[in-house]
Amino acid sequence: MQSIVCSILACLTLVVAPVHGTESERAVDAKNCRKLIPDEYQWQALDWSHLWAADLPRELKIFPEQQPDCAVHAGICADAKSKKTIVVDVDVFFKDSAIWNKPEQLRAYMALVNRYYQQARIGFNFKFRPASELPAWTENRNQLTVIFASAMPAPAGKVADAFGNLPAGKAVFNDVLMKRQERHANPYFIMGKPLGHELGHVLGLAHTQDIALLMTQGTSSQNALDILPEQALIMRVMALQRFGGKLDSVIACH
Ligand SMILES: [Zn+2]
């Protein structure tokens, strides 16, 4: 994961700022803090301290009934509320795509996804896997899985540009996504937005309408990559409860 250790000045600012927690907690925070998102990026690390994981809006969730009940998973929901980064592994497969077949083609986009997911303090550890280990679609995995395919149909039978499926734990990117020349004005389009957008679905998010948000459909030049605090918390609960996400010791300096 890419990151920049905060300057001493920035960490001192955290200590003297009127933040919650005991003095010793603040000292530990200052020692371990890290500036998550460099200044040249538009995103800020989000604050979800005012939210309750057990009471997040249903309309932001895809398949709400398949998401963890925080009354049952109280410890996980408490961890999700923390400011610590969650690191989660993602298996990546090249199935039969005619376009994507080398890890080097994707690393810059994966770095971008990790940049804007720092809003949610989630870091993806992308791991390229041999095609021989490609799991069956019908296998519901507790492992985030990304597949680059030629024309793989969704469970309903349609070949979409891309899709993310929560029960399956998988996101698929089809070559048709590259054949939309008129939409390529946005530098985030291929693959920087779709990759994070479909992972958002797998991590429990439904579509939203605001074009500033990652989870809005579309790839016009107006589309942006923002994440709401509520969406961040939904994904953090899912990452910890379903996909083996682990809390890192690092918190945000700002
Ligand atoms: Zn979508």
Side-chain angles (χ1 to χ4, degrees):
M1 198 180 352
Q2 297 184 15
S3 59
I4 293 177
V5 175
C6 65
S7 69
I8 289 171
L9 189 62
C11 290
L12 284 175
T13 305
L14 182 82
V15 173
V16 297
V19 293
H20 299 293
T22 66
E23 201 130 314
S24 63
E25 279 170 350
R26 288 200 295 276
V28 170
D29 284 357
K31 209 168 115 193
N32 294 331
C33 74
R34 183 187 289 168
K35 194 163 187 180
L36 295 175
I37 305 170
D39 292 337
E40 65 266 32
Y41 291 87
Q42 61 181 306
W43 310 290
Q44 298 290 321
L46 299 168
D47 179 10
W48 46 79
S49 58
H50 58 295
L51 300 175
W52 294 104
D55 191 28
L56 292 167
R58 274 181 75 84
E59 65 269 19
L60 291 180
K61 297 179 179 179
I62 191 166
F63 309 129
E65 68 286 354
Q66 295 187 27
Q67 302 202 20
D69 180 350
C70 284
V72 178
H73 300 281
I76 283 168
C77 291
D79 284 347
K81 278 266 290 178
S82 79
K83 284 187 172 182
K84 291 178 179 174
T85 295
I86 294 171
V87 180
V88 57
D89 288 344
V90 182
D91 282 355
V92 182
F93 294 93
F94 298 117
K95 185 173 180 284
D96 53 4
S97 169
I99 297 164
W100 308 101
N101 48 45
K102 293 188 188 68
E104 303 75 54
Q105 295 173 296
L106 288 159
R107 293 200 201 282
Y109 303 112
M110 290 168 169
L112 174 62
V113 170
N114 270 328
R115 281 271 188 252
Y116 62 75
Y117 262 83
Q118 291 289 21
Q119 295 172 92
R121 298 183 174 97
I122 292 173
F124 298 112
N125 185 17
F126 293 101
K127 295 182 171 181
F128 292 91
R129 299 290 190 193
S132 58
E133 295 176 10
L134 185 72
W137 180 263
T138 48
E139 179 194 338
N140 286 351
R141 303 192 89 200
N142 294 326
Q143 166 69 57
L144 285 179
T145 303
V146 163
I147 301 166
F148 291 90
S150 171
M152 191 170 162
K158 185 173 167 247
V159 176
D161 288 8
F163 53 94
N165 187 280
L166 170 57
K170 302 182 187 78
V172 172
F173 301 87
N174 283 320
D175 285 354
V176 64
L177 186 60
M178 298 291 288
K179 296 186 171 63
R180 302 291 161 87
Q181 296 298 333
E182 73 281 8
R183 299 188 192 174
H184 290 188
N186 186 337
Y188 297 133
F189 174 38
I190 297 174
M191 291 290 297
K193 179 185 175 184
L195 188 52
H197 176 98
E198 301 307 336
L199 284 171
H201 283 314
V202 185
L203 287 171
L205 297 184
H207 281 140
T208 46
Q209 297 301 317
D210 182 347
I211 61 168
L213 297 175
L214 171 68
M215 291 316 294
T216 302
Q217 281 185 295
T219 47
S220 80
S221 55
Q222 283 76 44
N223 280 120
L225 301 167
D226 292 357
I227 295 170
L228 296 171
E230 291 85 348
Q231 294 173 316
L233 196 45
I234 290 169
M235 291 195 289
R236 288 172 63 85
V237 172
M238 289 294 296
L240 290 170
Q241 194 271 335
R242 172 77 194 273
F243 295 108
K246 300 271 185 285
L247 285 180
D248 198 5
S249 59
V250 174
I251 63 157
C253 289
H254 61 113

